[in-house]
Amino acid sequence: MPKVDVSKLDDDKKLKIIQKAIEKHGLSYVSRHTGVSRSTLNRYINGKIQKIPNNVIEKASELLTVDELSDIIYGVKTTDIDPTTVISAIIKAKKDEGFRNFFLTLLWQELGDYIKEPSNSYMVTKKDVELFEKLIRNEKEKKTAEDRINYLKRALADLNYELTPTKLKEYILDLSKESKGKAEHTAKALKLFIKEVIKPKSPRIARELYDSFNIPKMKPNHKPINLPLDTVKSIFSNIEELGAKAFFLILAETGLRVGEVLSLKLDQVDFEYRVIKIMKENETKRAYITFLHENTATWLKEKYLPYREEFIKKYESSLRKLAEVNTNQGIDIERWKAKLFPFREDGLRVEIKEAMKKVLGKEFRLYDIRAFFTSYMVKQKVPGTIVNLLQGRASPQQFRIMEENYFTISETELREWYDKYAPRLL
């Protein structure tokens, strides 16, 4: 399929596409690809044949990248356009009606096929949560209202305040596997939030979110995929983007929930002592403490952290401009900079699932990585109590009760279990 509508190009630009293709791939290769003889191609270049057929240009355009075509057609090098420039254009469009009309017209002309597919993502703001609290306290009994609010806040924190149909469906399925009761209460709170807060603002998105999951009424029938360690290692090796690679590495070697890893702040990870303290951020988090293998801590320090810092430097100014324009969205720059993984979750998932497809020919739920960790540890004859502590199935309060009354184990001993038996990808 051609990358451009060649019927809209003038003769000069058509010729430049031919010239660029030959410059890049050579006369013989372009001749074979377009089905045009070398002598005819030379006549095009020398101007002896000025009318070049559209089908020839279409074939030649397939040999060029989008950036190369953009340079020829628009005279703009897309690699020189950074996010700050894009944000500046959006700010001007919001303030200048004349520019806004031109900007939107150009968007539809050039990117119509992309923006015809509307987003199904909703970013929850502080005002949304406050409105929900106000509505629920007025309509429900005190105990019911408190339950709905607490379950909603916990879910939103786990979901990083971004709701999409896929995330909601997987989240409720994951909760159902651990506790049908919690899943039922959480699903009711989320559906009520979608109905009362999101629907009046965005009916279409609300409908997609509301219909994406059910309130659990029976035992979920999802069975996690069986993942040998070699398969997990192969998936890890095939992840190209470094942020997604580090994210998958921690998921696989700790067995933590996806939301818990996404919510980690940099200061919750002690790379020297190889400790991850989940509870440092938020009391609603269920996991308590886990560890990193020595090679993993070294890899994260040497490979991932420099990459993370460069990412923040690259996008911080753009995000600050976005926050200035959208003050009602409560964008917290410092909170974003403090995150261990300051990336969009959907981007991480796409990178990981591409690697899954390369290795297995199919995708599976990220939550199945948690099941992999459990299964691997159990096969190593690690006691269930130890596995539950490492994966956060016991709350901090329960952990303290066990420490004080029933089950005596120090952090050092827990680390020894981890170091000896937890799966290693490096």
Side-chain angles (χ1 to χ4, degrees):
M1 180 180 293
K3 297 184 178 73
V4 294
D5 184 354
V6 299
S7 65
K8 296 180 180 180
L9 302 181
D10 57 35
D11 291 340
D12 181 60
K13 287 175 181 172
K14 290 180 181 180
L15 178 59
K16 286 181 178 178
I17 289 175
I18 292 288
Q19 290 173 330
K20 183 64 177 178
I22 292 173
E23 175 189 328
K24 183 177 179 181
H25 297 283
L27 188 64
S28 297
Y29 185 87
V30 175
S31 173
R32 291 195 301 272
H33 187 80
T34 59
V36 176
S37 68
R38 290 161 53 98
S39 59
T40 300
L41 288 174
N42 276 321
R43 291 190 182 97
Y44 292 153
I45 295 172
N46 296 330
K48 294 181 179 179
I49 301 178
Q50 295 187 349
K51 193 68 175 177
I52 307 175
N54 285 345
N55 67 307
V56 175
I57 303 303
E58 288 176 356
K59 286 287 187 181
S61 71
E62 293 173 354
L63 300 174
L64 304 182
T65 66
V66 172
D67 283 352
E68 290 167 337
L69 288 171
S70 177
D71 294 345
I72 293 170
I73 297 169
Y74 305 111
V76 176
K77 291 191 175 182
T78 57
T79 52
D80 294 337
I81 300 177
D82 60 21
T84 301
T85 306
V86 178
I87 296 297
S88 299
I90 293 172
I91 293 171
K92 182 173 176 59
K94 291 185 72 171
K95 295 180 178 179
D96 184 334
E97 182 179 0
F99 178 78
R100 179 166 62 248
N101 293 334
F102 161 76
F103 183 69
L104 292 176
T105 299
L106 193 61
L107 275 178
W108 277 106
Q109 287 177 346
E110 304 299 334
L111 297 173
D113 289 340
Y114 296 96
I115 59 181
K116 284 175 185 176
E117 291 296 329
S119 170
N120 59 3
S121 172
Y122 185 87
M123 296 301 301
V124 180
T125 67
K126 182 179 179 181
K127 289 184 178 180
D128 289 334
V129 178
E130 290 173 350
L131 175 59
F132 180 75
E133 289 189 46
K134 183 178 180 180
L135 292 171
I136 297 305
R137 293 190 195 282
N138 288 336
E139 297 176 3
K140 303 288 184 182
E141 293 183 2
K142 184 176 180 180
K143 177 65 168 63
T144 303
E146 290 299 327
D147 284 347
R148 291 284 187 270
I149 292 167
N150 289 336
Y151 276 107
L152 176 75
K153 286 183 175 180
R154 184 178 295 116
L156 292 178
D158 287 344
L159 293 164
N160 286 312
Y161 295 89
E162 181 184 18
L163 306 183
T164 69
T166 300
K167 286 179 67 174
L168 284 171
K169 182 178 181 180
E170 288 198 3
Y171 182 68
I172 296 302
L173 283 173
D174 295 345
L175 279 184
S176 297
K177 184 173 178 60
E178 295 186 9
S179 168
K180 192 173 78 170
K182 288 181 181 179
E184 181 178 355
H185 288 301
T186 302
K188 287 180 178 178
L190 283 166
K191 280 190 177 286
L192 192 58
F193 176 76
I194 294 167
K195 178 182 177 183
E196 297 292 341
V197 177
I198 301 179
K199 185 177 179 182
K201 297 171 66 175
S202 181
R204 180 193 60 78
I205 293 178
R207 183 173 60 253
E208 291 189 36
L209 296 176
Y210 194 92
D211 294 341
S212 66
F213 64 97
N214 298 317
I215 296 175
K217 296 296 182 183
M218 59 183 67
K219 186 177 180 180
N221 57 10
H222 174 79
K223 185 177 181 180
I225 186 173
N226 179 33
L227 291 169
L229 179 59
D230 286 347
T231 299
V232 177
K233 285 183 176 181
S234 183
I235 293 171
F236 171 74
S237 298
N238 278 275
I239 299 172
E240 296 181 3
E241 198 271 326
L242 203 56
K245 202 176 187 75
F247 180 65
F248 183 85
L249 177 63
I250 292 181
L251 281 179
E253 291 194 351
T254 65
L256 292 174
R257 300 168 183 85
V258 173
E260 287 166 346
V261 178
L262 281 171
S263 299
L264 282 175
K265 292 181 180 178
L266 186 59
D267 64 6
Q268 287 177 256
V269 185
D270 188 324
F271 292 98
E272 182 179 355
Y273 291 100
R274 302 185 288 109
V275 177
I276 299 177
K277 296 181 179 179
I278 309 300
M279 286 306 298
K280 189 171 182 179
E281 180 191 29
N282 192 312
E283 290 183 0
T284 63
K285 297 297 180 185
R286 291 157 287 175
Y288 182 48
I289 188 171
T290 191
F291 307 93
L292 296 169
H293 290 302
E294 188 172 348
N295 286 346
T296 299
T298 300
W299 186 88
L300 290 170
K301 285 192 294 184
E302 296 179 355
K303 301 290 185 181
Y304 171 66
L305 291 185
Y307 173 83
R308 174 188 173 278
E309 288 303 311
E310 285 301 315
F311 180 87
I312 290 175
K313 288 178 183 178
K314 182 176 181 181
Y315 291 104
E316 182 177 357
S317 62
S318 300
L319 194 59
R320 287 192 183 279
K321 289 187 180 236
L322 191 62
E324 290 171 5
V325 176
N326 299 279
T327 54
N328 63 327
Q329 291 190 9
I331 300 174
D332 189 334
I333 304 295
E334 296 308 312
R335 183 175 181 272
W336 171 73
K337 289 173 62 178
K339 290 172 68 70
L340 179 62
F341 293 104
F343 317 104
R344 284 185 57 86
E345 180 182 353
D346 55 356
L348 296 174
R349 287 179 178 269
V350 166
E351 293 289 336
I352 293 171
K353 292 196 173 185
E354 283 298 316
M356 290 177 185
K357 287 186 283 189
K358 286 180 183 178
V359 175
L360 297 173
K362 62 180 180 181
E363 301 175 5
F364 58 84
R365 296 188 311 160
L366 280 186
Y367 192 83
D368 288 351
I369 301 297
R370 180 168 166 82
F372 153 76
F373 182 93
T374 304
S375 175
Y376 185 89
M377 295 290 275
V378 169
K379 289 177 182 177
Q380 304 299 310
K381 309 298 183 184
V382 177
T385 308
I386 299 295
V387 179
N388 287 341
L389 287 174
L390 289 170
Q391 290 193 275
R393 292 190 184 87
S395 69
Q397 183 179 1
Q398 290 171 317
F399 177 76
R400 286 192 290 270
I401 291 172
M402 284 190 292
E403 273 193 313
E404 295 168 4
N405 301 296
Y406 305 106
F407 181 71
T408 303
I409 184 170
S410 67
E411 182 179 312
T412 301
E413 290 172 307
L414 195 59
R415 181 203 296 271
E416 289 174 354
W417 281 101
Y418 178 88
D419 285 342
K420 187 173 182 179
Y421 295 107
R424 298 172 186 267
L425 272 59
L426 293 173

